[in-house]
Every structure is written in C-alpha cells, then in structure tokens.
Amino acid sequence: MAVERTLSIVKPDAVAKNVIGQIYSRFENAGLKIIAARMMQLSRAEAEGFYAVHKDRPFFKDLVEFMISGPVMVQVLEGENAILKNRELMGATDPKKADKGTIRADFADSIDANAVHGSDAPETAAVEIAYFFPTMQICAR
Ligand code: RTP
Ligand code: MG
C-alpha cells in the first residue's frame, strides 16, 4: 500500500455544527495525518472552479450555493491508502445510505449538506490539493 495524499473539506454545515475537531479526530484515529489546513470562505468562482466536473449536473447550482453559505475547513490528509481510507471514513454521499459510524451518518443532514468532501482518485487528489495549497504550505512529516 502506498502513502497517498487526499484533499478533504469540512463543509459549511459541519463547521456550523462546531464538529471540526470531532472530524479531525476520526482522521487521526484512522492513521491519517493533517499536513496542511486552512479555514476559508469560498467565493462563488472558487466553489464553481472546485466543482467544475459537476458543472452540467442538475445539482450544480445548489452545490455551489451550499459551499459558499459559510466558512469551510480545507485540509490535506496523508497516510497509507489515504484516498480510499478517507472515503470510507466519510461514508456514502447520501447520509441516509451511509454506514453507521461514518462521518456522514453521524454529522450530515442531507445529500446537499453532507458534512465533508474527499478526493475520489489520485488524479483528482493532485488537482484538488494544488487548487488550495501551494507546495510550500504542505508540511509533510
Ligand atoms: P464530494 O465530491 O463532495 O466529496 O462528494 P461525493 O464524491 O460523495 O459526491 P459527488 O458525486 O462528487 O457529488 C458532489 C457533491 O454534490 C452533491 N450532490 N448532490 N442531489 C444530488 O443528487 C446530488 N448528488 C451529489 C453532494 O453534496 C455531493 O457531496
Ligand atoms: Mg466527489
């Protein structure tokens, strides 16, 4: 298994619920290290750019509105198999379908307000990490 990096976002609903620390604990308890982090209020253009792959999907407008509705916490996670491991910690996109004990089952309200984002493949992880963090702001350790 390779050491990977993945881009994680604690979305506005989870920031508003004050559960950043509880979500970070899940990453750390699973052996993932937080090697870069920033809290930010996304602009519309930043949110549209980040989710550009979904621009033709019917939910795109709602997704962008939601992502700019409040601050988000953005981080790079590093560890063995980090991309899949983070996706497993997150649970299914729709919290109603997410396994018990996953972040979305425990903290998400709906398929729109679903608490977290995680990259879905090595190629998207690389693009998404570069979207938010210049190399010099990533503190591998
Ligand atoms: P994410 O990219 O945020 O980590 O979520 P994901 O991979 O589990 O889901 P994805 O298919 O990439 O969709 C991105 C986000 O769009 C919203 N969505 N809404 N109403 C719908 O049918 C629908 N489908 C997706 C979700 O908030 C999802 O996280
Ligand atoms: Mg996705």
Side-chain angles (χ1 to χ4, degrees):
M1 247 188 291
V3 173
E4 291 176 337
R5 292 178 179 179
T6 191
L7 193 279
S8 159
I9 301 178
V10 179
K11 293 184 178 182
D13 58 322
V15 172
K17 284 184 182 167
N18 210 23
V19 294
I20 296 170
Q22 292 188 59
I23 292 172
Y24 272 27
S25 290
R26 293 182 183 215
F27 298 151
E28 293 178 342
N29 291 338
L32 297 174
K33 290 179 183 173
I34 296 155
I35 60 168
R38 63 189 286 210
M39 180 173 269
M40 56 192 299
Q41 169 67 54
L42 293 175
S43 68
R44 186 174 296 276
E46 285 166 339
E48 287 175 350
F50 182 73
Y51 277 120
V53 343
H54 294 311
K55 70 178 174 0
D56 298 324
R57 309 284 287 277
F59 58 81
F60 181 69
K61 195 166 177 298
D62 287 346
L63 175 60
V64 169
E65 289 297 339
F66 170 64
M67 290 300 289
I68 66 174
S69 66
V72 295
M73 191 74 198
V74 187
Q75 46 282 326
V76 179
L77 308 177
E78 185 178 77
E80 293 280 337
N81 218 7
I83 296 167
L84 185 61
K85 198 178 269 184
N86 181 44
R87 300 282 297 186
E88 288 172 355
L89 292 173
M90 289 162 55
T93 309
D94 182 351
K96 291 200 289 288
K97 297 181 184 151
D99 287 342
K100 236 177 131 208
T102 59
I103 293 169
R104 282 168 167 164
D106 290 345
F107 300 118
D109 296 322
S110 67
I111 194 166
D112 298 306
N114 63 358
V116 279
H117 163 83
S119 308
D120 57 15
E123 301 70 31
T124 47
V127 171
E128 290 177 2
I129 290 168
Y131 193 80
F132 287 113
F133 297 99
T135 306
M136 66 180 293
Q137 285 178 18
I138 299 175
C139 305
R141 58 201 163 82

